[in-house]
């Protein structure tokens, strides 16, 4: 039985490789969007883990996570200063470090059970990729609902691999990418580049992945959508007069008056007073809807039973909000403060800035627009799989995403979020209308191409015939199962390797001879 491998790199070199890998991976995300760089970034994040024991793997994983997240999440410093940025990046780095330990164990344990070339080139890369994907899932769900930002699959929103999300979702794409990187590492490690045919299985897989088309959905006509980016003072700390954001949205809507449309879409926070409780605001929305001859899909903070919600409202003149969706995933420490009593003792001034907390919504992210199913997401809702998949399950033929990026002006946050929106279009085979208060706003086709767009930081409008689609993609149908099989299945496989490897080692260890009497 082969011994567990020694570390491929000394600790200092592994730490350097991991730091470089994290930084390289950052370049694959917007604003640079150098999607090929995701592959060397992942590979550098793996080589330092090969042969490592738990504590050194934790250290190497932390270095990789810190190099990545402290850069990728720098936009969060724009909102409340360096403290939230450091806290969030540090948390994500620690979770990444914890997730590095099982990956290192995979490199040590699997060769004890399966030592053949096929296992090294296929089984080990699959196990490593599954554990990496599980780590993404944990980072994206823990604690307080997690923050699934910086997923490797999202880097491919503009690449030839993006279409794979229609089959296997974002987590499935992450798995495939990491598996290819891990297989390439093993191919070099065992020196099989002298025998090219040994790379045939992985090469065939890569070719199939490139050539398989996007899963088709069925065309169902179009919906004429007016969408407005008001560029008003919508930031948390922006100086504003009463209803300044509403007035900015109204002014930017004026060129659409007299135009024919099926619905007018405004962004998150486009109405800065509660129209369900403010008669003046309600009258303004009624008048606008009557002028347009179309319903409005607006967003405002609403209050019900002493609780606040970040709400999307389908507004009909004279009837008000006829359908409502409340944001399912309020941003921890941005829109809600979990365990507030604890965190306020640590940073009372900072936590005190978040005076109004939002209650997570429970309604389906879906509205019926005169017979057309519309899936919804409000701002960071778009990064959570459950919101998108639930909308598709309920019969969405198009998605409308409302977002407010004003707190992150001058950063690449809006472009990273737009990459999620683009990937959601491909994943579900649906068009997406992504409208922001300040940009970037786009209408995205089911294949991920841009139909219409507005530049950031200017007021503007779009009037777009948006394609409608029906039919579910495999990613929507089996998405949760794919995540469970890849993630938790890999953890189970790792545990099995550990048990079998220990049994084999014990079986080959001779029992001590008796000393006699």
């Amino acid at each position: 039985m082969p011994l567990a491998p020694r570390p491929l790199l000394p600790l200092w070199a592994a730490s350097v490789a991991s730091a470089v890998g994290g930084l390289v991976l950052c370049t694959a995300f917007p604003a640079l969007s150098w999607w090929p760089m995701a592959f060397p970034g992942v590979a550098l994040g793996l080589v330092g883990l090969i042969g490592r024991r738990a504590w050194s793997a934790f250290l190497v994983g932390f270095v990789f996570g810190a190099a990545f997240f402290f850069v990728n999440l720098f936009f969060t410093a724009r909102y409340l200063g360096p403290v939230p940025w450091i806290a969030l990046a540090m948390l994500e780095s620690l979770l990444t470090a914890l997730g590095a330990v099982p990956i290192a164990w995979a490199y040590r344990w699997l060769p004890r059970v399966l030592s053949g070339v096929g296992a090294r080139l296929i089984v080990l890369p699959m196990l490593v990729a599954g554990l990496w994907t599980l780590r993404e899932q944990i980072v994206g769900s823990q604690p307080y609902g997690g923050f699934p930002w910086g997923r490797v699959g999202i880097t491919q929103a503009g690449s030839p691999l993006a279409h794979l999300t229609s089959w296997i979702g974002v987590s499935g794409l992450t798995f495939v990418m990491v598996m290819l990187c891990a297989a390439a590492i093993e191919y070099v490690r065992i020196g099989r580049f002298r025998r090219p045919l040994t790379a045939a299985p992985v090469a065939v897989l890569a070719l199939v992945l490139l050539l398989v088309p996007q899963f088709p959905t069925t065309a169902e006509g179009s919906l004429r959508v007016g969408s407005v980016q008001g560029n008003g003072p919508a930031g948390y700390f922006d100086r504003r007069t009463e209803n300044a954001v509403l007035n900015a949205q109204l002014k930017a809507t004026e060129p659409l008056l007299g135009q024919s449309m099926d619905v007018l879409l405004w962004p998150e926070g486009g109405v800065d007073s509660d129209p369900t409780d403010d008669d003046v605001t309600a009258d303004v929305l009624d008048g606008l809807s009557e002028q347009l001859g179309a319903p409005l899909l607006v967003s405002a903070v609403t209050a019900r039973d002493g609780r606040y919600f970040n709400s999307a409202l389908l507004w009909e003149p004279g009837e008000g909000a006829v359908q409502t969706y409340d944001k399912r995933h309020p941003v921890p420490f941005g829109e809600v403060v979990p365990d507030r009593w604890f965190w306020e003792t640590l940073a009372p001034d900072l936590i005190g800035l978040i005076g109004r907390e939002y209650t997570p919504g429970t309604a389906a992210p879906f509205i019926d627009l005169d017979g057309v199913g519309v899936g919804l997401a409000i701002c960071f809702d778009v990064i959570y799989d459950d919101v998108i998949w639930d909308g598709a399950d309920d019969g969405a033929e198009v998605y409308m995403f409302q977002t407010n990026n004003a707190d992150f002006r001058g950063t690449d946050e809006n472009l990273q979020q737009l990459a999620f929106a683009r990937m959601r279009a491909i994943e579900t085979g649906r068009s997406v209308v992504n409208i922001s208060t300040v940009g970037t706003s786009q209408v995205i086709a089911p294949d991920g191409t841009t139909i219409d767009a507005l530049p950031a930081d200017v007021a503007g409008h779009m009037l777009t015939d948006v394609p409608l689609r029906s039919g579910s993609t495999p990613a929507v149908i089996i998405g949760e199962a794919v995540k469970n099989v890849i993630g938790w299945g890999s953890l189970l496989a790792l545990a099995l390797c550990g048990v079998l490897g220990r049994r084999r080692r014990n079986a080959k260890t001779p029992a001590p001879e008796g000393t006699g009497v």
Side-chain angles (χ1 to χ4, degrees):
M1 180 181 62
L3 297 174
R6 293 183 176 182
L8 184 63
L9 300 174
L11 184 58
W12 71 266
S15 299
V16 171
S18 294
V20 173
L23 296 174
V24 168
L25 183 58
C26 284
T27 67
F29 288 85
L32 292 176
S33 298
W34 296 344
W35 62 264
M37 301 306 291
F39 295 92
V42 168
L44 287 167
L46 291 175
V47 293
L49 297 176
I50 296 173
R52 307 226 80 85
R53 296 185 181 274
W55 282 110
S56 63
F58 181 91
L59 174 61
V60 170
F62 177 80
V63 171
F64 176 81
F68 174 72
F69 283 111
F70 272 89
V71 176
N72 184 259
L73 297 177
F74 184 68
F75 65 83
T76 58
R78 174 71 171 77
Y79 176 32
L80 289 175
V83 174
W85 164 55
I86 293 171
L88 179 58
M90 184 65 72
L91 173 63
E92 305 292 77
S93 301
L94 289 171
L95 292 174
T96 300
L98 285 171
V101 175
I103 296 174
W105 284 342
Y107 278 114
R108 294 180 64 85
W109 294 354
L110 190 135
R112 298 173 180 172
V113 180
L114 299 170
S115 57
V117 172
R120 292 279 299 277
L121 292 177
I122 299 174
V123 181
L124 179 58
M126 290 179 65
L127 180 58
V128 167
L131 294 169
W132 183 299
T133 307
L134 175 63
R135 179 172 67 180
E136 277 196 352
Q137 294 173 18
I138 293 173
V139 170
S141 60
Q142 301 297 328
Y144 304 132
F147 189 59
W149 200 266
R151 298 166 71 179
V152 170
I154 294 298
T155 63
Q156 305 302 295
S159 90
L161 293 176
H163 64 281
L164 293 176
T165 55
S166 67
W167 295 90
I168 54 178
V170 176
S171 289
L173 181 54
T174 292
F175 172 81
V176 167
M177 293 173 63
V178 177
M179 184 182 70
L180 291 173
C181 293
I185 292 170
E186 292 308 299
Y187 184 69
V188 173
R189 284 183 68 204
I190 62 180
R192 289 288 167 167
F193 48 84
R194 299 186 184 92
R195 299 173 61 183
L197 287 180
T198 58
V202 175
V204 169
L205 174 61
L207 187 62
V208 169
L209 295 176
L210 285 171
L211 295 180
V212 66
Q214 181 182 353
F215 187 85
T217 49
T218 304
E220 298 289 353
S222 63
L223 187 75
R224 198 160 211 221
V225 180
S227 49
V228 177
Q229 175 179 294
N231 199 41
Y236 201 85
F237 297 112
D238 286 351
R239 294 182 179 179
R240 68 181 81 170
T241 57
E242 185 178 1
N243 287 325
V245 179
L246 172 62
N247 291 331
Q249 286 294 134
L250 289 169
K251 183 174 179 58
T253 303
E254 289 177 359
L256 289 175
L257 298 179
Q259 300 289 328
S260 174
M261 67 188 71
D262 296 305
V263 64
L264 177 70
L265 177 66
W266 277 5
E268 175 191 25
V271 180
D272 43 1
S273 52
D274 182 359
T276 66
D277 189 52
D278 188 306
D279 291 338
V280 174
T281 303
D283 288 343
V284 169
L285 297 182
D286 280 347
L288 178 61
S289 184
E290 288 173 353
Q291 280 186 282
L292 292 169
L296 314 177
L297 182 55
V298 298
S299 173
V301 177
T302 61
R304 299 190 295 278
D305 301 323
R307 296 181 296 173
Y308 292 101
F309 300 86
N310 189 347
S311 304
L313 310 170
L314 181 62
W315 194 273
E316 295 276 4
E319 300 180 58
V322 294
Q323 297 178 61
T324 300
Y325 164 68
D326 301 316
K327 187 176 184 179
R328 185 178 291 184
H329 294 281
V331 180
F333 304 99
E335 295 175 318
V336 63
V337 183
D339 296 326
R340 188 182 187 106
W341 63 272
F342 173 75
W343 298 107
E344 203 156 32
T345 61
L346 298 180
D349 293 338
L350 190 62
I351 298 300
L353 292 172
I354 308 170
R356 179 171 61 191
E357 297 192 39
Y358 298 138
T359 301
T362 57
F366 176 87
I367 59 169
D368 185 317
L369 184 63
D370 195 22
V372 174
V374 179
L376 303 175
I378 299 176
C379 200
F380 284 163
D381 264 349
V382 72
I383 70 179
Y384 293 91
D385 293 335
D386 63 298
V387 175
I388 307 304
W389 294 344
D390 285 355
D393 288 340
D394 288 332
E397 297 170 81
V398 63
Y399 283 93
M400 297 186 186
F401 298 161
Q402 298 164 295
T403 182
N404 177 13
N405 306 98
D407 287 314
F408 307 109
R409 287 181 188 263
T411 74
D412 57 13
E413 180 273 341
N414 65 323
L415 297 177
Q416 291 196 47
Q417 187 177 328
L418 187 65
F420 272 95
R422 191 175 311 283
M423 205 58 113
R424 296 309 190 184
I426 300 169
E427 180 183 41
T428 61
R430 301 290 191 273
S431 300
V432 167
V433 184
N434 186 83
I435 191 69
S436 171
T437 48
V438 299
T440 300
S441 299
Q442 288 192 1
V443 180
I444 304 167
D447 63 357
T449 58
T450 301
I451 299 175
D452 208 347
L454 292 171
D457 299 319
V458 297
H461 68 277
M462 298 181 286
L463 184 60
T464 316
D465 291 316
V466 182
L468 302 176
R469 294 289 179 90
S470 64
S472 295
T473 64
V476 171
I477 297 172
I478 63 172
E480 195 61 38
V482 167
K483 291 173 66 173
N484 289 333
V485 169
I486 289 176
W488 299 112
S490 298
L491 191 62
L492 180 62
L494 177 66
L496 185 61
C497 287
V499 171
L500 292 178
R502 182 174 292 275
R503 285 183 177 178
R504 291 190 180 186
R505 185 171 59 185
N506 291 340
K508 293 191 177 185
T509 302
E513 296 182 5
T515 58
V517 181

